[in-house]
Amino acid sequence: MEKLIATDKAIEVIELLKKKHGNLLFQQSSGCCDGTVPMCFQADGHYISSQNVLIGEIAGVPYYIDKTQDTYLKHMQIIVDVMEGMGASFSLESAEGYAFLMHSKVMK
């Protein structure tokens, strides 16, 4: 079982964003704003904190998560999904009318 996966719809939105914005990255922080929400940014010029670790890629896009969350989720599979609507974030998909979200399930 892979640690990090995405739904087909999430991959579709990621591909749309790659065409519009170029190189991307995901960052899931533990901050006060959307702390458990995958946030998608242009990779060029985006700073990755030393408190984040790379846990894999989705559709060729690196996915970073806060070290604390990574420890908490170490036995969980992370599933990135997307829904229609405006998320409360600075993430690129918001302008397209989508919001990324994360589900998790216990890895066996």
Side-chain angles (χ1 to χ4, degrees):
M1 180 181 284
E2 291 182 64
K3 173 70 176 171
L4 177 66
I5 62 171
T7 63
D8 291 342
K9 184 64 178 177
I11 291 171
E12 193 178 301
V13 173
I14 292 166
E15 293 299 336
L16 168 75
L17 295 174
K18 284 165 58 175
K19 286 179 186 171
K20 287 186 115 175
H21 301 284
N23 294 331
L24 305 174
L25 63 82
F26 278 98
Q27 184 174 10
Q28 184 176 324
S29 70
S30 62
C32 65
C33 304
D34 296 331
T36 59
V37 176
M39 308 261 292
C40 186
F41 301 106
Q42 287 181 299
D44 300 332
H46 187 80
Y47 172 76
I48 297 296
S49 166
S50 63
Q51 296 304 305
N52 290 285
V53 294
L54 178 66
I55 62 165
E57 291 187 353
I58 301 171
V61 176
Y63 194 100
Y64 295 88
I65 192 167
D66 180 82
K67 287 179 183 179
T68 304
Q69 284 191 15
D70 184 45
T71 300
Y72 177 75
L73 295 167
K74 70 180 174 182
H75 300 296
M76 306 293 280
Q77 181 180 48
I78 296 172
I79 305 149
V80 176
D81 200 357
V82 69
M83 64 180 201
E84 290 186 22
M86 295 295 291
S89 73
F90 304 106
S91 193
L92 291 173
E93 80 282 357
S94 292
E96 306 298 327
Y98 294 102
F100 285 115
L101 53 120
M102 188 231 17
H103 305 286
S104 61
K105 68 179 182 180
V106 176
M107 292 190 335
K108 296 181 181 182

